[in-house]
Amino acid sequence: MSGFSVDLLGLRIFISCIGLVGNVFLILSILKNKFSRVKSFEFFLLGLATANLEEIVIMNIYDTVFLEGYFIIMSTLPCRILKFLTLFGEISSILFTVLISIFRYQKLRDASLRSSLPICLDSIRSAWLVSGVCVALSLLLSLPIFFINLQGSADNTTRNTSNCPPDFFQCGRHFCPLINRFYKYLFILMCNLLPLIIVTGTGCLIIKVLLNQRKQVTSVTSVSVSSQTRKKGKGPGRQRSLIAVLAAMGLFQVDWTLYLIFQLAFFPDDLPFWDEMEFFISTSYTSISPYMYGIGNNLFSIKNLMRR
C-alpha cells in the first residue's frame, strides 16, 4: 500500500509539472504580443490559463500542508483559505471554458452569411466585461467555504490528524450538516451540471454547423478561383482551432462527468483514495487543455516561439 501511495505521489508531481509548464507557456505565448493587440479569444485563453495555473499551485500547496501531514495547523482559517483559493481556480477554469465554447460557436454560426462581421464578444471591452462576470461568479460560489461546517464527525476527527479534511464539502454518508449538503448540491448544479450541459450543447451545435457547411460546399458546383484561394488561406487555421476547441471540450466533458459520478454515487468515507481521485479528475483538464488550445491555435509553434 505504501508503494502504491508513492506511485500516486509521483504521478501527481508529473501531472502538476505538465500543467505548470503548459499553462505558463500558453500565458507567455499570448503575452508576447502587445496586450492591446490581444484578441478576445486569446484574452479568454489567458483567463483560462491563469485560472488553471492558480488551481494547480494552490491544490499542491493544500495537499502538501494538510493532506500529506507535513504541517499540523490546528486553526481552520488556513484550511478554509486554501480551499477557497482551490475552488476559486477550479470554478474560474470551468466558467472560462464555458465562455470559450460559447464564443467559438457564435463565431462559427452563420459564418457564410455574416462573412467576417464581428460579433459582440469580439470587442475587447465586452471580453473584459464577461471575464469580470466569470471571476465575480467564481468568488461568489467559493465564498460559502468560509461558512460550512469543517469539524466533521467523531469518526473522522480520529482519523484526520490535521484540522482540514480532504472532502471539500465535508459531507459523508453518516455526517452531512444541512449547510454543507446545500453547498455541495449548489456547487454540483452551478459549477458542474450546468456547465456540462452548456459545453455539450455548444459542442453539438458547432458540429452541426460544420456538417451543414460541408454539405453546402460539396453541393456548390461552380466556385470562382479567387474565392477558393481565399478559403485555402483561412480554412486550415480556422479548422485546426475548431478541432482544438472541440477536443478540449471533449476532455472537459469526460473529466467533469466522472467528477459528477463520484460526487453523486460515492461518499469520501467509502473510498480511501478520494483526495487522489479528486485531484486527478480536476487537474487532468487544467494540465492537458493548454496544450490543445496552444497547438490548435498555433501558439505553441516553433515560428511563434522564435518570433520576438
Side-chain angles (χ1 to χ4, degrees):
M1 186 68 73
S2 61
F4 183 62
S5 299
V6 171
D7 291 340
L8 284 180
L9 180 60
L11 184 59
R12 289 171 68 152
I13 294 173
F14 177 71
I15 293 176
S16 299
C17 290
I18 288 178
L20 289 172
V21 172
N23 285 290
V24 169
F25 206 5
L26 184 58
I27 291 172
L28 293 178
S29 298
I30 295 173
L31 292 181
K32 263 194 160 182
N33 296 324
K34 290 184 178 179
F35 196 72
S36 59
R37 293 192 304 179
V38 172
K39 299 178 181 178
S40 294
F41 180 69
E42 294 174 342
F43 188 78
F44 298 148
L45 287 181
L46 186 63
L48 175 69
T50 304
N52 291 344
L53 190 63
E54 190 264 356
E55 180 188 354
I56 293 172
V57 171
I58 297 299
M59 185 170 284
N60 278 280
I61 294 174
Y62 169 76
D63 289 350
T64 302
V65 172
F66 292 106
L67 301 186
E68 297 299 329
Y70 294 126
F71 300 93
I72 298 178
I73 302 175
M74 300 309 296
S75 173
T76 60
L77 183 59
C79 173
R80 291 181 188 273
I81 291 174
L82 287 176
K83 284 191 173 189
F84 166 79
L85 292 174
T86 303
L87 287 176
F88 172 72
E90 185 176 296
I91 298 171
S92 297
S93 175
I94 291 171
L95 294 182
F96 272 107
T97 302
V98 171
L99 188 58
I100 288 170
S101 65
I102 293 173
F103 176 80
R104 294 307 291 170
Y105 168 65
Q106 286 187 339
K107 289 291 288 183
L108 184 65
R109 184 186 58 190
D110 299 332
S112 58
L113 298 177
R114 293 175 57 86
S115 183
S116 59
L117 293 176
I119 63 173
C120 177
L121 290 178
D122 277 328
S123 168
I124 196 65
R125 182 176 296 179
S126 299
W128 271 101
L129 179 62
V130 294
S131 298
V133 170
C134 288
V135 173
L137 279 175
S138 301
L139 285 170
L140 187 64
L141 291 170
S142 303
L143 278 176
I145 203 70
F146 288 104
F147 304 101
I148 65 173
N149 188 348
L150 294 183
Q151 296 303 317
S153 62
D155 183 43
N156 278 344
T157 53
T158 57
R159 285 189 301 171
N160 289 322
T161 56
S162 69
N163 204 14
C164 194
D167 179 19
F168 272 70
F169 308 105
Q170 192 60 18
C171 191
R173 184 184 296 275
H174 304 293
F175 178 83
C176 187
L178 181 60
I179 187 172
N180 295 35
R181 186 182 296 113
F182 176 77
Y183 180 49
K184 176 180 180 179
Y185 291 109
L186 175 67
F187 182 88
I188 289 174
L189 175 65
M190 297 297 296
C191 304
N192 296 133
L193 185 59
L194 188 59
L196 262 177
I197 293 173
I198 296 174
V199 170
T200 303
T202 51
C204 293
L205 290 173
I206 288 174
I207 294 174
K208 180 182 177 182
V209 172
L210 288 175
L211 291 176
N212 289 336
Q213 287 182 351
R214 185 175 182 181
K215 288 179 183 178
Q216 290 175 4
V217 170
T218 54
S219 63
V220 173
T221 56
S222 59
V223 182
S224 64
V225 178
S226 60
S227 64
Q228 282 185 352
T229 55
R230 198 161 49 241
K231 284 183 180 179
K232 280 185 179 180
K234 288 188 176 181
R238 187 176 297 171
Q239 276 190 339
R240 190 169 59 246
S241 176
L242 281 172
I243 291 172
V245 171
L246 287 173
M249 290 165 66
L251 178 63
F252 178 91
Q253 291 168 336
V254 171
D255 283 345
W256 294 111
T257 300
L258 288 175
Y259 184 86
L260 271 177
I261 292 172
F262 277 112
Q263 287 288 350
L264 296 176
F266 301 99
F267 290 94
D269 306 336
D270 303 331
L271 301 172
F273 295 104
W274 177 272
D275 54 314
E276 281 83 3
M277 287 187 297
E278 194 171 31
F279 175 86
F280 289 131
I281 290 173
S282 60
T283 56
S284 57
Y285 174 76
T286 58
S287 299
I288 300 173
S289 61
Y291 295 97
M292 293 179 172
Y293 288 119
I295 295 172
N297 292 278
N298 208 29
L299 294 171
F300 283 3
S301 65
I302 298 177
K303 182 179 179 180
N304 185 53
L305 293 176
M306 297 302 293
R307 190 179 60 199
R308 294 184 178 273

